[in-house]
Amino acid sequence: MNDKDLAAFTALADPAVYVVTVAADGQRAGCLVGFASQCSLSPVRFSVWLSKANHTYRLALAADTLTVHQLPKNRLDLAERFGSACSAETDKFDGLAWSEGAEGAIVLTDALAWFTGRVHDRYDGGDHVAFVLDPIAAHTKASVDERDGRAVLTLYDASDISAGHPA
């Protein structure tokens, strides 16, 4: 297989990136996620893939719900905050606008859209684990027409962020 061709294929796709937040066992964490997608129509389900090296992953193993946020294109700072620091070493929520959502979920106020999902199942995919979520609450600030189809922060936009979790 040619890794360069696969990298070019992935670059053309340029999917949205998401911030996933979790609260469990009296702790909170969040991370930037590049692998996520709706994975079922009926029932509606969404999967997010969390790195096993990530503190958010370890906390998510104890959680019943996760919240998945889409960021507006102009909020690279939020992607950097959640992608370049480790939740075990720093409070990523310090000084950040957020509120408590359904079942104690952490909702980022400045997200373009978000949903909270109950963990339905987990699938090991190698260095990442898929958390399959059943949505239980959601909010969107703009319709697809209003956001011009490209107003969400994408993987290309966040490509210079170095992972904050320990190697």
Side-chain angles (χ1 to χ4, degrees):
M1 181 184 79
N2 183 332
D3 289 343
K4 186 177 179 181
D5 287 338
L6 184 57
F9 175 88
T10 303
L12 286 172
D14 196 20
V17 291
Y18 303 88
V19 169
V20 174
T21 57
V22 59
D25 297 335
Q27 300 177 60
R28 60 187 182 194
C31 66
L32 186 65
V33 173
F35 308 138
S37 176
Q38 184 173 341
C39 59
S40 176
L41 292 172
S42 183
V44 173
R45 289 199 173 119
F46 196 92
S47 66
V48 293
W49 293 81
L50 300 180
S51 169
K52 291 178 183 178
N54 197 303
H55 176 70
T56 302
Y57 161 75
R58 292 187 294 280
L59 192 56
L61 290 174
D64 294 325
T65 61
L66 303 177
T67 301
V68 181
H69 305 80
Q70 281 191 327
L71 301 179
K73 198 170 208 53
N74 66 351
R75 291 308 306 265
L76 183 61
D77 61 310
L78 285 176
E80 289 171 338
R81 176 185 285 238
F82 284 94
S84 66
C86 178
S87 290
E89 299 168 0
T90 186
D91 182 358
K92 295 181 185 181
F93 303 93
D94 186 38
L96 191 64
W98 64 275
S99 63
E100 188 172 312
E103 298 188 21
I106 298 172
V107 176
L108 301 178
T109 304
D110 292 334
L112 181 65
W114 61 267
F115 81 90
T116 297
R118 189 168 288 113
V119 177
H120 174 79
D121 213 340
R122 297 173 182 90
Y123 296 96
D124 192 319
D127 62 355
H128 283 67
V129 171
F131 287 72
V132 178
L133 306 174
D134 292 321
I136 58 171
H139 179 73
T140 302
K141 291 182 180 179
S143 71
V144 173
D145 292 336
E146 291 171 321
R147 68 182 178 100
D148 191 30
R150 297 297 298 164
V152 296
L153 195 67
T154 67
L155 195 56
Y156 178 79
D157 298 326
S159 62
D160 291 337
I161 299 172
S162 297
H165 57 71

